[in-house]
Amino acid sequence: MLRVLIAGATGWTGAPLAEAVRAADDLELAGGIARSGADFASVEEALAAAEADVLVDYTKPDVVRGHADAALAAGLHVVVGTSGLTAADYAELDSAARAAGRGVIAAGNFSVLAATLLHAATLAARHVAHWEVLDYASAGKPDAPSGSARELAERLGEAAAADHDHDLIGPPEARGADVAGTRVHSLRLPGYALSTDVILATAGERLVVRHEAGASADPYVAGTLLAIRRVGEVTGVLRGLDRLLFP
């Protein structure tokens, strides 16, 4: 029986995830963590008081790194569903997790369909020299690019180096952010829900792969449960639900 702490247990994904953990025969909810309305008010309090095997984080970009570090130091595995961590953050977490003999599974998006986009785009990028990523979210989303778009860009950068921006005329910012060699354009406007496009192109054709988030947290709950059950098999950091679905 895996004992699970959930940071952000009253949130949009955290609340239904807590219910799913309670309902699972092979999982036990060791406690929910939130500023109010949960078992514990902080991760530090929960780690000191509860016996647990896995910490799941669905909180905010400015606190997730500290939560992951504290959980690894306490001997827990970690599942990160919060966006905002950089490649450098993950490199440092990988070192800490390996030193502790623990696993970290992180995904910019724990949806199976978002993971499928990531997998398909990475395969295509091996054979194409040009691509860019468009990242859409509401005006209130603080991190740009989103975790999904950042993870996608960094994974594409592992596959190959995109070819763009030769002899640019005009402000460089107009080309978007350079994330691991991929141009990422983040729109933050009222009326948008989370979605991600990757456009891969040759001189004669284009492939557009798009993931659109719906109104339900169910897809993210299902993917997070998979990560909770598999994180004990991992040492160090494993980024991307696709690497569990498509090994």
Side-chain angles (χ1 to χ4, degrees):
M1 181 79 70
L2 280 174
R3 299 163 296 181
V4 182
L5 287 170
I6 300 176
T10 60
W12 185 72
T13 304
L17 177 62
E19 291 302 318
V21 169
R22 288 190 188 97
D25 294 336
D26 59 335
L27 303 175
E28 175 186 337
L29 185 64
I33 305 163
R35 286 177 295 180
S36 62
D39 302 301
F40 303 103
S42 70
V43 167
E44 292 74 18
E45 179 187 345
L47 292 173
E51 293 187 1
D53 304 297
V54 181
L55 172 73
V56 180
D57 194 286
Y58 273 104
T59 58
K60 293 183 178 181
D62 58 341
V63 296
V64 57
R65 173 63 194 274
H67 293 171
D69 285 332
L72 290 172
L76 278 68
H77 300 286
V78 182
V79 174
V80 178
T82 306
S83 60
L85 293 178
T86 66
D89 286 320
Y90 281 118
E92 293 170 2
L93 283 173
D94 183 68
S95 296
R98 291 182 184 279
R102 293 295 181 265
V104 177
I105 295 179
N109 192 320
F110 272 106
S111 155
V112 169
L113 293 184
T116 303
L117 177 150
L118 184 59
H119 181 65
T122 304
L123 291 177
R126 298 174 185 174
H127 308 285
V128 178
H130 300 269
W131 60 77
E132 302 199 10
V133 172
L134 282 75
D135 164 39
Y136 305 86
S138 68
K141 185 170 177 58
D143 56 316
S146 67
S148 300
R150 182 184 293 277
E151 183 175 45
L152 174 59
E154 291 173 350
R155 190 71 64 80
L156 289 168
E158 293 174 10
D163 183 11
H164 49 48
D165 289 356
H166 299 300
D167 301 321
L168 175 66
I169 298 173
E173 296 84 358
R175 293 291 297 116
D178 185 324
V179 180
T182 290
R183 286 297 178 190
V184 180
H185 309 266
S186 292
L187 278 72
R188 296 291 182 268
L189 293 170
Y192 275 94
L194 274 175
S195 57
T196 306
D197 293 352
V198 56
I199 305 171
L200 303 104
T202 70
E205 60 183 349
R206 292 184 301 276
L207 173 65
V208 181
V209 188
R210 179 179 181 86
H211 176 261
E212 295 184 352
S216 170
D218 289 350
Y220 313 108
V221 170
T224 307
L225 290 174
L226 173 63
I228 291 169
R229 292 180 170 115
R230 297 282 299 278
V231 69
E233 304 169 15
V234 174
T235 302
V237 171
L238 185 149
R239 291 188 66 189
L241 183 64
D242 65 301
R243 285 175 164 153
L244 292 181
L245 297 173
F246 310 104

